[in-house]
């Protein structure tokens, strides 16, 4: 009955995970992707967004930090396995201001994935014709070097890579 089906399923999962067909298709790199660091959400009203996550959903929410070199105010929402980054425009040339002009209620802006060697990642990604939106890494909200990959080269998603 049910126990036999569960045992068969467990055996199938063990067999699939030990053979790991996915790793056979992954080329050797001088760098590797790490964990998802955060998902960034552009918000038109930062105080309302902070209140939603803190007061309504009960999450731990950081103080607002201004990052003038990136043109944003940022707030981090701690989750069990990652973070959300709330982004609000800082200054007229903010990339978030132009995002919010097109998406007036806000929305997902980018994802951030950690890498173990950002310089090696940049070199290899350029060889693979992935456009990087800056010539050199900038210091991000966590005080670590970051780069952004062009969304048109990443299936419509703005990808931030952060040095782990």
């Amino acid at each position: 009955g049910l126990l036999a089906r569960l045992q068969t399923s467990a055996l199938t999962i063990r067999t699939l995970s030990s053979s790991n067909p996915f790793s056979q298709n992954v080329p050797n790199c001088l760098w590797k992707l790490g964990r998802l660091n955060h998902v960034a959400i552009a918000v038109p009203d930062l105080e309302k967004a902070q209140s939603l996550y803190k007061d309504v959903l009960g999450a731990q929410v950081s103080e607002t930090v201004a990052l003038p070199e990136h043109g944003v105010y940022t707030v981090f929402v701690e989750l069990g396995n990652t973070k959300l980054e709330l982004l609000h425009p800082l200054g007229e040339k903010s990339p978030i201001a132009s995002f919010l002009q097109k998406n007036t209620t806000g929305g997902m802006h980018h994802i951030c994935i950690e890498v173990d060697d950002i310089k090696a990642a940049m070199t290899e990604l350029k060889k693979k014709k992935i456009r990087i939106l800056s010539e050199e890494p900038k210091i991000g909200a966590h005080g670590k070097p970051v780069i952004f990959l062009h969304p048109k080269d990443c299936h419509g998603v703005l990808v931030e890579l952060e040095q782990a």
Side-chain angles (χ1 to χ4, degrees):
L2 179 60
L3 182 58
R5 283 198 308 260
L6 287 173
Q7 289 171 331
T8 303
S9 296
L11 178 60
T12 303
I13 290 168
R14 275 197 303 274
T15 303
L16 286 173
S17 65
S18 64
S19 63
N20 197 356
F22 300 108
S23 66
Q24 295 167 3
N25 297 329
V26 177
N28 270 341
C29 290
L30 298 174
W31 59 281
K32 70 174 190 175
L33 284 177
R35 69 182 191 94
L36 176 68
N37 185 286
H38 64 266
V39 174
I41 303 168
V43 297
D45 186 328
L46 192 54
E47 287 182 14
K48 268 186 171 176
Q50 281 176 291
S51 177
L52 168 70
Y53 289 100
K54 184 177 181 180
D55 303 329
V56 177
L57 298 176
Q60 183 180 336
V61 177
S62 75
E63 294 298 315
T64 302
V65 175
L67 296 174
E69 64 278 9
H70 293 276
V72 297
Y73 290 103
T74 178
V75 169
F76 282 95
V77 178
E78 291 291 331
L79 303 176
N81 57 350
T82 191
K83 296 180 280 294
L84 298 178
E85 179 183 32
L86 306 179
L87 298 171
H88 188 72
L90 170 61
E92 292 176 17
K93 295 182 181 177
S94 171
I96 300 306
S98 59
F99 181 92
L100 288 172
Q101 285 173 352
K102 297 175 202 150
N103 306 277
T104 56
T105 58
M108 192 189 93
H109 184 260
H110 69 267
I111 63 169
C112 176
I113 304 170
E114 295 175 358
V115 295
D116 65 346
D117 186 339
I118 201 159
K119 289 287 197 176
M122 289 178 74
T123 301
E124 196 161 318
L125 290 168
K126 285 179 183 177
K127 286 180 189 172
K128 293 178 178 179
K129 306 289 188 232
I130 302 294
R131 289 173 282 179
I132 299 171
L133 301 181
S134 61
E135 287 301 313
E136 288 296 320
K138 295 180 180 178
I139 298 302
H142 298 113
K144 297 177 179 181
V146 300
I147 58 170
F148 286 88
L149 308 181
H150 200 294
K152 288 185 179 175
D153 298 339
C154 301
H155 306 283
V157 176
L158 178 62
V159 176
E160 178 184 18
L161 299 180
E162 177 180 286
Q163 178 73 47

